[in-house]
């Protein structure tokens, strides 16, 4: 902030404004560093050039703390850009600001890396508004206190890894659903994220071949939801090894239909632990694809514990644990409320299932002596 836009732009002679960065001619491999802890409010950062696969253009920080680019980051049809260690905090009046957004028009932006950033007090943290956006990675980034969803993704082949997404969808005047991540593109991957306190879904899946593995999701209506907006023939979505707590509607939900017609995705739902505050552990409507359930724990103040509609394709279910802290555990198969033995008879599945109390610690891991220790199966389908 104490630099000069007439200076050389090196470490000893820094520039001053975001607007000057926007007008600079950057080459692949160049790096622009903003002073940590400072606020740059004169303009939205709008990179004018792309990097290359071997030499991205990087926007980062030097010194202590994250620089606040309070007017946000926007780009159109760019590739191989890295944003590392930046903050966007719009303060008490975020308006319609997305912390980082790609243009909805044009061919889309590809190979965008967002790392170690903090996006707070904005309308949306990460906004991919173009179906041509592809190959983004969002890692180790905080998204918190958003008016709308924490992230909205229309692009494809994105990876969210190790992020913390908190307190999203806080503006009740926005009438549509607001989620931790509104996942409206195909082949999206979510691994090892922490998502808490969301308005509708922690992760709201809409398109084929999603991977949701090893996330911690808590305190909202639905932990992981699926809604068929995809108009294609379907793929396989995997929901596995997630810890889902404090949900009030469903820990895992699959809708029967949505804008893309009847649900036709295949699902592998395995090794999840769901401890719901109310509602049910899972509510899985009929899909014309296949459904595999294995090694899951469904517990909490739930009734029924799980609701399942038999799919049009193959159905396998085994080594699951069903319990309730508020009532006898019930499994609803279609419209029929059943105990475990009756469900096994009706479905022809259920090998290794249990209704024993799970005895979990505060991290949802089975304690020593729990009936769940070594009770799972290495085979999922």
């Amino acid at each position: 902030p104490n630099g000069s836009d007439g200076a050389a732009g090196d470490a000893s002679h820094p520039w001053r404004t975001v607007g000057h960065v926007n007008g600079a001619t950057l080459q692949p491999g160049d790096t622009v560093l903003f002073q940590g802890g400072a606020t740059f409010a004169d303009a939205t950062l709008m990179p004018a050039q792309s990097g290359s696969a071997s030499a991205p253009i990087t926007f980062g920080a030097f010194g202590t703390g994250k620089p606040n680019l309070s007017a946000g980051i926007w780009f159109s049809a760019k590739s191989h850009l890295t944003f590392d260690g930046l903050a966007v905090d719009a303060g008490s009046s975020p308006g319609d600001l997305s912390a980082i957004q790609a243009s909805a028009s044009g061919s889309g932006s590809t190979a965008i890396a967002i790392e170690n950033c903090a996006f707070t007090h904005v309308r949306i943290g990460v906004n991919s508004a173009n179906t041509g956006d592809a190959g983004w990675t969002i890692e180790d980034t905080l998204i918190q206190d958003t008016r709308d969803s924490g992230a909205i993704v229309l692009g494809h082949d994105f990876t969210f890894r190790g992020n913390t997404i908190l307190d999203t969808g806080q503006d009740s005047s926005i009438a549509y659903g607001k989620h931790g991540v509104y996942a409206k593109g195909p082949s999206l991957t979510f691994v090892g994220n922490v998502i808490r306190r969301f308005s509708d879904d922690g992760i709201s899946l809409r398109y084929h071949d999603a991977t949701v593995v090893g996330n911690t999701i808590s305190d909202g209506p639905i932990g992981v939801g699926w809604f068929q907006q995809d108009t294609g023939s379907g793929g396989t979505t995997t929901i596995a090894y997630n810890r889902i707590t404090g949900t009030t509607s469903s820990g895992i939900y699959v809708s029967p239909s949505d804008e893309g017609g009847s649900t036709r995705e295949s699902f592998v739902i395995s090794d999840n632990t769901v401890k719901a505050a109310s509602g049910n552990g899972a509510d899985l409507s009929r899909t014309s694809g296949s459904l595999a359930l294995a090694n899951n724990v469904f517990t909490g103040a739930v009734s029924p514990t799980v609701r399942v509609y038999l799919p049009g394709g193959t159905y396998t279910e085994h080594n699951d644990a069903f319990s309730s802290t508020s009532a006898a555990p019930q499994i609803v198969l279609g419209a029929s409320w059943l105990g475990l033995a009756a469900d096994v008879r009706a479905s022809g599945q259920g090998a290794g299932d249990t209704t024993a109390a799970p005895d979990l610690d505060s991290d949802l891991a089975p304690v020593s002596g729990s009936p769940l220790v070594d009770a799972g199966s290495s085979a999922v389908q």
Side-chain angles (χ1 to χ4, degrees), residues 270-287:
S270 72
D271 300 277
N272 302 285
T273 301
V274 178
K275 187 176 182 180
S278 60
N280 53 61
D283 187 349
L284 310 176
S285 296
R286 186 184 186 279
T287 176

Side-chain angles (χ1 to χ4, degrees), residues 161-243:
R161 182 184 296 110
N163 303 289
T164 300
I165 302 174
L166 309 174
D167 305 303
T168 56
Q170 295 185 347
D171 188 343
S172 60
S173 71
I174 299 174
Y176 52 77
K178 303 173 289 294
H179 314 288
V181 180
Y182 198 175
K184 301 177 71 174
S187 302
L188 305 182
T189 297
F190 303 89
V191 178
N193 303 284
V194 174
I195 303 174
R196 302 189 192 278
R197 300 183 298 275
F198 41 88
S199 177
D200 287 276
D201 302 356
I203 300 175
S204 193
L205 305 172
R206 308 292 170 133
Y207 279 76
H208 62 84
D209 293 309
T211 300
V212 181
V213 174
N215 303 282
T216 298
I217 302 172
S218 67
D219 304 318
I222 296 173
V224 180
W226 166 272
F227 300 86
Q228 184 78 44
Q229 287 191 343
D230 192 347
T231 58
S233 59
T236 299
T237 285
T238 299
I239 304 169
Y241 295 100
N242 301 290
R243 292 178 293 174

Side-chain angles (χ1 to χ4, degrees), residues 6-76:
D10 56 33
S12 300
H13 309 90
W15 297 332
R16 181 174 183 177
T17 66
V18 175
H20 189 75
V21 174
N22 291 342
T25 301
L26 302 178
Q27 304 295 330
D30 280 350
T31 297
V32 178
L33 301 178
F34 296 86
Q35 182 179 325
T39 295
F40 298 85
D42 67 284
T44 299
L45 177 62
M46 300 173 62
Q49 295 86 27
S50 295
S52 66
S54 60
I57 295 174
T58 299
F59 300 88
F62 71 94
T64 302
K66 291 178 170 62
N68 180 17
L69 278 64
S70 59
I73 302 165
W74 184 93
F75 45 86
S76 177

